[in-house]
Amino acid sequence: ATASGVAGSECPMGECSQLEYKVAMKVKLPYTASEFDQQKQVQFVKAVAEAAQVPVQLVRITGFSELRRRRNSPARALLAGSIQVDVEIATATKAAAEALAGSEELKAASLNAKLETQLGVRAEVLEAASISEINVDPTPEQEGSAWSRWPRAELPLSALAVLFATGTAVPWRALCE
């Protein structure tokens, strides 16, 4: 088993149905928001999954935004040509989340090795990995969210896109349980 508590590149029967914790982190990528298109998002998710040694189904981008920096005048904000990407990885247990958050896999060196392969870029970790519980009682705004309850049948769209774009084979039963 890996730090995620899930062995191999697929979720074995029963192990992914009870995802209770998530590891969240923020990274800086050298793209503008418009450059970080669906294809780059898919590649980013795959790189994070490879670095963390977890199935892509467990990784999702929760948001991204352009970073701004100030030059010369405090009143004039200019684009730095980079974005902050918020990413989360689901785990079955708190122990697995703690192991993953504290592992070398989510440090800049390991993450950058995978990002260079997938996207040809390097990231800067803006906020180190932190652990929290997955919300099991969603607010009305979260009700339709794939993360409000994380059964395998509600895989994040980014993970599905990775599966289809990369041709990764996942047993149909693993997706439906």
Side-chain angles (χ1 to χ4, degrees):
T2 65
S4 70
V6 178
S9 62
E10 299 171 352
C11 295
M13 298 303 165
E15 282 196 60
C16 291
S17 61
Q18 297 298 321
L19 298 172
E20 297 181 12
Y21 289 86
K22 61 186 174 183
V23 176
M25 62 187 295
K26 298 176 189 242
V27 298
K28 176 181 171 182
L29 292 176
Y31 296 114
T32 63
S34 61
E35 292 171 332
F36 194 56
D37 59 19
Q38 185 66 34
Q39 180 181 2
K40 286 184 177 72
Q41 291 174 41
V42 166
Q43 291 170 312
F44 175 80
V45 167
K46 185 175 180 187
V48 171
E50 287 176 0
Q53 300 177 14
V54 300
V56 294
Q57 300 96 308
L58 302 182
V59 179
R60 76 176 189 135
I61 295 171
T62 59
F64 61 94
S65 59
E66 289 189 348
L67 295 173
R68 299 184 180 268
R69 67 176 178 195
R70 300 192 184 275
R71 277 196 204 152
N72 302 332
S73 169
R76 184 176 168 193
L78 298 176
L79 288 179
S82 58
I83 57 171
Q84 172 183 304
V85 180
D86 304 335
V87 62
E88 294 179 344
I89 304 166
T91 66
T93 66
K94 186 175 184 179
E98 289 170 345
L100 183 59
S103 71
E104 289 299 313
E105 283 83 4
L106 291 185
K107 303 278 191 265
S110 179
L111 186 57
N112 280 329
K114 299 303 181 182
L115 285 171
E116 286 177 342
T117 300
Q118 290 294 323
L119 292 165
V121 300
R122 295 180 62 80
E124 175 185 337
V125 176
L126 298 175
E127 190 175 297
S130 62
I131 302 165
S132 63
E133 288 186 64
I134 292 176
N135 182 13
V136 293
D137 294 317
T139 64
E141 301 85 47
Q142 297 170 321
E143 190 63 45
S145 167
W147 275 82
S148 61
R149 303 179 196 276
W150 187 297
R152 254 180 295 203
E154 294 184 30
L155 293 176
L157 182 58
S158 59
L160 290 174
V162 169
L163 293 173
F164 292 117
T166 62
T168 303
V170 176
W172 179 249
R173 288 184 295 160
L175 294 174
C176 297
E177 287 189 1

